[in-house]
Amino acid sequence: MDRLARLHREIRACTKCVAAGYLATAMPILAGTSRDRVAIVGQAPGAIEITTGLPFTGRSGRILREWLAEAGIDEAHLPYRTAVTKCFPGKAKTGPGDRRPSPAEIELCAPWLEQELALLKPRVILLIGTLAIERLWGRVALASVIGTLRREPDRVLIPLPHPSGASRWLNEPANKALLRKALRLVRREVVGLDSAGIAGRMHRSR
Ligand code: SF4
């Protein structure tokens, strides 16, 4: 078992948010191996993920997979998948969708994400939704970053909107165009990994 697999075992045993009174139960969900060179960081798993035990398996996940396919990443070679907080936070008290994890929960979970990224060292990180973008990029308006990327010394960050139907951001045609631009960037960066011979488990359909 490598260090990342050992970390996964520790994360899956985490109950910090239960002990702190934020969650009734903990079921941390993440997937991937140390061979992955592309990582996806989402907000938090949803209700469906609790039943499947795998990230991005609900409706949002299906849409995200369609986006990945458009970027040349096929279903059989999904990237490393994790989230800012790794347990289902429950449904939102008002409005559609899931509850946004509180700042306290995010801080409790932050060391896990930091350790994951430190061990995995992904070359490309897809930031899914505002919470992941805030965490790894900074607080910005979605429209100002979707369709752009940030090159850091050892990795590239690419923000994407959250595929949840609860978000109306994608209803705007101009925002849909930004998403298409972002997916072209994902394709280009992933192809770049392949050209450099460091794609790992990635696969591209051209
Ligand atoms: S959300 Fe994160 S910190 Fe909270 S119990 Fe789950 S794994 Fe632990």
Side-chain angles (χ1 to χ4, degrees), residues 11 14-18 23 26-28 84-87 105 108-110 112:
I11 294 173
C14 178
T15 57
K16 286 192 281 186
C17 291
V18 177
L23 295 177
M27 182 177 169
V84 173
T85 59
K86 300 181 208 312
C87 295
E105 291 165 276
L108 278 179
C109 213
W112 293 135

Short mmCIF file of all heavy atoms in Angstrom, two decimals, residues 11 14-18 23 26-28 84-87 105 108-110 112, ligand 1:
data_model
loop_
_atom_site.label_atom_id
_atom_site.label_comp_id
_atom_site.label_asym_id
_atom_site.label_seq_id
_atom_site.Cartn_x
_atom_site.Cartn_y
_atom_site.Cartn_z
N ILE A 11 -8.45 8.95 5.84
CA ILE A 11 -9.56 9.87 5.54
C ILE A 11 -10.89 9.14 5.71
O ILE A 11 -11.84 9.68 6.29
CB ILE A 11 -9.43 10.44 4.10
CG1 ILE A 11 -8.19 11.33 3.99
CG2 ILE A 11 -10.69 11.23 3.73
CD1 ILE A 11 -7.88 11.82 2.57
N CYS A 14 -12.29 9.14 9.06
CA CYS A 14 -12.44 10.46 9.71
C CYS A 14 -13.87 10.69 10.18
O CYS A 14 -14.83 10.44 9.45
CB CYS A 14 -12.02 11.56 8.74
SG CYS A 14 -12.22 13.23 9.43
N THR A 15 -14.00 11.19 11.39
CA THR A 15 -15.32 11.57 11.93
C THR A 15 -15.24 12.95 12.60
O THR A 15 -16.00 13.25 13.52
CB THR A 15 -15.82 10.51 12.94
OG1 THR A 15 -14.83 10.38 13.98
CG2 THR A 15 -16.07 9.16 12.29
N LYS A 16 -14.31 13.77 12.16
CA LYS A 16 -14.07 15.06 12.84
C LYS A 16 -15.34 15.92 12.88
O LYS A 16 -15.60 16.58 13.88
CB LYS A 16 -12.95 15.83 12.13
CG LYS A 16 -11.56 15.27 12.39
CD LYS A 16 -10.46 16.21 11.91
CE LYS A 16 -10.24 16.16 10.43
NZ LYS A 16 -9.09 16.98 9.99
N CYS A 17 -16.10 15.91 11.78
CA CYS A 17 -17.29 16.78 11.74
C CYS A 17 -18.41 16.24 12.62
O CYS A 17 -19.27 17.01 13.07
CB CYS A 17 -17.78 16.96 10.30
SG CYS A 17 -16.63 17.93 9.32
N VAL A 18 -18.41 14.94 12.85
CA VAL A 18 -19.40 14.35 13.77
C VAL A 18 -19.02 14.74 15.19
O VAL A 18 -19.87 15.21 15.97
CB VAL A 18 -19.46 12.82 13.60
CG1 VAL A 18 -20.42 12.22 14.62
CG2 VAL A 18 -19.86 12.46 12.18
N LEU A 23 -22.04 17.21 11.59
CA LEU A 23 -22.68 16.15 10.81
C LEU A 23 -23.20 15.07 11.77
O LEU A 23 -22.58 14.80 12.80
CB LEU A 23 -21.69 15.49 9.85
CG LEU A 23 -21.10 16.34 8.72
CD1 LEU A 23 -20.08 15.51 7.93
CD2 LEU A 23 -22.19 16.85 7.78
N ALA A 26 -20.58 10.48 9.32
CA ALA A 26 -19.51 10.78 8.37
C ALA A 26 -19.34 9.61 7.42
O ALA A 26 -19.36 8.45 7.86
CB ALA A 26 -18.20 11.04 9.12
N MET A 27 -19.21 9.93 6.13
CA MET A 27 -18.88 8.90 5.16
C MET A 27 -18.02 9.56 4.08
O MET A 27 -18.52 9.98 3.04
CB MET A 27 -20.14 8.29 4.54
CG MET A 27 -19.81 7.18 3.55
SD MET A 27 -21.30 6.41 2.89
CE MET A 27 -20.57 5.43 1.57
N PRO A 28 -16.75 9.70 4.37
CA PRO A 28 -15.87 10.39 3.42
C PRO A 28 -15.78 9.63 2.09
O PRO A 28 -15.65 8.40 2.09
CB PRO A 28 -14.52 10.40 4.14
CG PRO A 28 -14.86 10.21 5.59
CD PRO A 28 -16.06 9.32 5.60
N VAL A 84 -13.62 19.47 -1.51
CA VAL A 84 -13.20 20.36 -0.42
C VAL A 84 -13.61 19.74 0.92
O VAL A 84 -12.84 19.73 1.87
CB VAL A 84 -13.82 21.76 -0.61
CG1 VAL A 84 -13.54 22.64 0.59
CG2 VAL A 84 -13.28 22.40 -1.88
N THR A 85 -14.84 19.25 1.01
CA THR A 85 -15.24 18.44 2.17
C THR A 85 -15.74 17.11 1.63
O THR A 85 -16.40 17.06 0.59
CB THR A 85 -16.34 19.11 3.03
OG1 THR A 85 -17.49 19.35 2.22
CG2 THR A 85 -15.85 20.42 3.61
N LYS A 86 -15.44 16.03 2.32
CA LYS A 86 -15.59 14.70 1.72
C LYS A 86 -16.81 13.92 2.20
O LYS A 86 -16.98 12.76 1.86
CB LYS A 86 -14.31 13.90 1.96
CG LYS A 86 -13.14 14.63 1.31
CD LYS A 86 -11.86 13.93 1.45
CE LYS A 86 -10.70 14.91 1.45
NZ LYS A 86 -10.72 15.90 0.37
N CYS A 87 -17.64 14.58 3.02
CA CYS A 87 -18.86 13.91 3.48
C CYS A 87 -20.09 14.66 2.99
O CYS A 87 -20.04 15.89 2.84
CB CYS A 87 -18.88 13.84 5.01
SG CYS A 87 -17.55 12.81 5.68
N GLU A 105 -16.45 23.46 8.79
CA GLU A 105 -16.28 22.11 8.20
C GLU A 105 -15.16 22.12 7.16
O GLU A 105 -14.37 21.17 7.07
CB GLU A 105 -17.59 21.66 7.55
CG GLU A 105 -18.71 21.38 8.54
CD GLU A 105 -20.06 21.29 7.86
OE1 GLU A 105 -20.68 22.35 7.62
OE2 GLU A 105 -20.49 20.17 7.55
N LEU A 108 -11.93 22.00 8.93
CA LEU A 108 -11.65 20.68 9.50
C LEU A 108 -11.16 19.71 8.42
O LEU A 108 -10.31 18.86 8.65
CB LEU A 108 -12.92 20.10 10.15
CG LEU A 108 -13.26 20.56 11.56
CD1 LEU A 108 -14.54 19.90 12.03
CD2 LEU A 108 -12.11 20.25 12.53
N CYS A 109 -11.73 19.84 7.23
CA CYS A 109 -11.40 18.89 6.16
C CYS A 109 -10.15 19.31 5.37
O CYS A 109 -9.56 18.50 4.67
CB CYS A 109 -12.59 18.77 5.20
SG CYS A 109 -12.76 17.12 4.50
N ALA A 110 -9.76 20.58 5.48
CA ALA A 110 -8.67 21.11 4.65
C ALA A 110 -7.37 20.30 4.73
O ALA A 110 -6.72 20.09 3.70
CB ALA A 110 -8.42 22.57 5.01
N TRP A 112 -6.90 17.22 4.94
CA TRP A 112 -6.97 16.03 4.08
C TRP A 112 -6.68 16.40 2.64
O TRP A 112 -5.87 15.76 1.95
CB TRP A 112 -8.35 15.39 4.18
CG TRP A 112 -8.73 14.78 5.50
CD1 TRP A 112 -9.92 14.92 6.14
CD2 TRP A 112 -7.95 13.89 6.32
NE1 TRP A 112 -9.93 14.20 7.31
CE2 TRP A 112 -8.74 13.57 7.45
CE3 TRP A 112 -6.66 13.37 6.23
CZ2 TRP A 112 -8.27 12.72 8.46
CZ3 TRP A 112 -6.20 12.53 7.24
CH2 TRP A 112 -6.99 12.22 8.33
S1 SF4 B 1 -16.14 16.30 5.94
FE1 SF4 B 1 -13.93 15.92 6.05
S2 SF4 B 1 -13.29 16.50 8.13
FE2 SF4 B 1 -15.55 16.29 8.12
S3 SF4 B 1 -15.87 14.16 8.83
FE3 SF4 B 1 -15.88 14.15 6.58
S4 SF4 B 1 -13.73 13.69 6.01
FE4 SF4 B 1 -13.74 14.31 8.17
#
